[in-house]
Amino acid sequence: MHRVALAVTDGMLHYELSVALEIFGADLTHVVDPWYDFALCGSGPVRVNRFRLEPDHGLDHLPQADTVIVPGWADTDRDPPAELVDAVRAAHATGARVASLCTGAFVLGAAGLLDGRRATTHWAHTRELARRHPAATVDPDVLYVDNGDVLTSAGKAAAMDLCLHLVRLDHGSANANKIARRLVVPPHRDGGQAQFIATPLPEPGNHPLDELLPWVLQRLDQPLTVEDLACRAGLSSRQLTRHFNHLTGTTPLQWLHTQRIRRAQELLETTDATVDTVAEAAGMGTATTLRRHFQRTVGVPPDTYRRTFRP
């Protein structure tokens, strides 16, 4: 029987923890027999938001598991407990498959398990994860990443996606689909978390792009070049690129592309305009061009996105 250990400590996120508990800790022998041998592991009674948990075993039990699940870590500004990090590292060293849910990736990173691997976490924390662990390749767009022995998921609902993926690996697609139907969730979601990422503008302030950015947003349907933007801002192209990188973390053209995709998302969410009309309004020219860039950036075609987000 496959042994799953859920590692818990004060400061975990209760939603991700409950997702893992619901899938791996429930009695689902009527679907697959045997199911998982599940253990809740912590150094003592654990406070998770308003809930109090009584672990079955200490963290030193993690190396005995075949799979270790690390739920989300609430305060990413704090280092996770050394005892938890050491136990996760030891479990991996003994051959356990280690999976993190949401910001649990920071625990895996502290244990050195992300070095040289692709990883993800909630989109709001991907930049910090990449900064803190430069040897990892952090992908902000995907719902989860499977490296075989180390797996990471994006935020909240993506925890369910990764848990069902583990069931699919262990017990096959048919049984994973049965579990998904029982939970009333899709067994597999198209696209990545790029379709959920907000792209706020830099805060208004005394910076060289303060007037340029709103001007650009009013002209997304028009052809714009780096030279056009630099001229409007009264800067050289090199100065413009430097200021864009400082304020937005990207280049002028990439920022412009992102804003056009975001405009297309807004129109798909709030109007019944055709894809051709959306493409023109977003500065993509044709529906073919929009579909190609939208699929590449968001992970799903415009029509699929509209069906998901249009009320």
Side-chain angles (χ1 to χ4, degrees):
M1 184 181 295
H2 192 100
R3 297 163 297 180
V4 172
L6 180 60
V8 296
T9 187
D10 290 337
M12 292 292 187
L13 298 173
H14 65 282
Y15 177 84
E16 289 82 350
L17 189 149
S18 64
V19 165
L21 183 62
E22 179 65 26
I23 291 181
F24 300 107
D27 180 7
L28 298 178
T29 52
H30 62 287
V31 178
V32 179
D33 192 8
W35 190 232
Y36 293 99
D37 179 11
F38 180 80
L40 193 65
C41 301
S43 56
V46 173
R47 173 68 64 179
V48 180
N49 203 326
R50 296 189 177 188
F51 302 97
R52 180 182 172 87
L53 301 177
E54 295 287 346
D56 307 312
H57 302 278
L59 290 172
D60 57 358
H61 184 75
L62 294 187
Q64 300 180 39
D66 300 302
T67 295
V68 171
I69 308 291
V70 181
W73 177 244
D75 188 357
T76 56
D77 293 329
R78 276 196 309 126
D79 291 332
E83 184 181 11
L84 173 64
V85 172
D86 291 343
V88 169
R89 185 187 297 116
H92 182 261
T94 58
R97 178 177 62 181
V98 179
S100 66
L101 309 180
C102 192
T103 49
F106 284 86
V107 177
L108 272 59
L113 303 188
L114 302 185
D115 292 353
R117 293 183 171 94
R118 285 180 66 238
T120 194
T121 188
H122 190 290
W123 60 263
H125 301 283
T126 51
R127 183 173 294 183
E128 175 60 20
L129 184 67
R131 185 195 68 79
R132 201 174 298 181
H133 304 289
T137 301
V138 179
D139 190 338
D141 296 334
V142 294
L143 295 177
Y144 58 84
V145 174
D146 181 353
N147 293 291
D149 58 338
V150 174
L151 303 92
T152 52
S153 85
K156 298 300 180 185
M160 181 72 75
D161 295 309
L162 179 54
C163 288
L164 288 172
H165 174 68
L166 292 173
V167 172
R168 192 177 303 113
L169 292 174
D170 298 336
H171 299 293
S173 295
N175 288 318
N177 292 347
K178 291 177 184 177
I179 303 302
R181 281 195 291 271
R182 173 182 175 274
L183 297 171
V184 199
V185 297
H188 176 76
R189 289 192 295 162
D190 293 325
Q193 61 175 331
Q195 57 193 307
F196 306 103
I197 296 176
T199 54
L201 293 173
E203 290 293 331
N206 186 23
H207 59 75
L209 306 185
D210 197 22
E211 296 182 4
L212 174 67
L213 301 184
W215 181 86
V216 173
L217 293 179
Q218 294 173 8
R219 293 163 176 80
L220 291 177
D221 60 330
Q222 301 175 21
L224 294 171
T225 65
V226 172
E227 289 72 22
D228 293 332
L229 273 58
C231 181
R232 176 69 187 183
L235 301 168
S236 69
S237 296
R238 180 175 296 181
Q239 289 172 323
L240 180 78
T241 299
R242 186 171 66 250
H243 287 302
F244 256 96
N245 185 63
H246 175 71
L247 286 170
T248 71
T250 188
T251 66
L253 286 181
Q254 185 57 51
W255 181 86
L256 180 61
H257 176 78
T258 299
Q259 299 310 314
R260 283 176 165 152
I261 292 294
R262 183 59 194 140
R263 176 63 56 80
Q265 289 177 294
E266 291 174 352
L267 294 173
L268 291 168
E269 292 173 19
T270 60
T271 75
D272 293 320
T274 66
V275 176
D276 286 285
T277 301
V278 170
E280 292 178 10
M284 292 288 183
T286 67
T288 300
T289 301
L290 174 62
R291 287 191 175 96
R292 182 173 69 253
H293 289 293
F294 200 93
Q295 172 86 45
R296 183 181 302 160
T297 302
V298 181
V300 294
D303 295 323
T304 301
Y305 183 88
R306 170 171 271 164
R307 285 196 299 269
T308 302
F309 289 94
R310 181 85 167 109

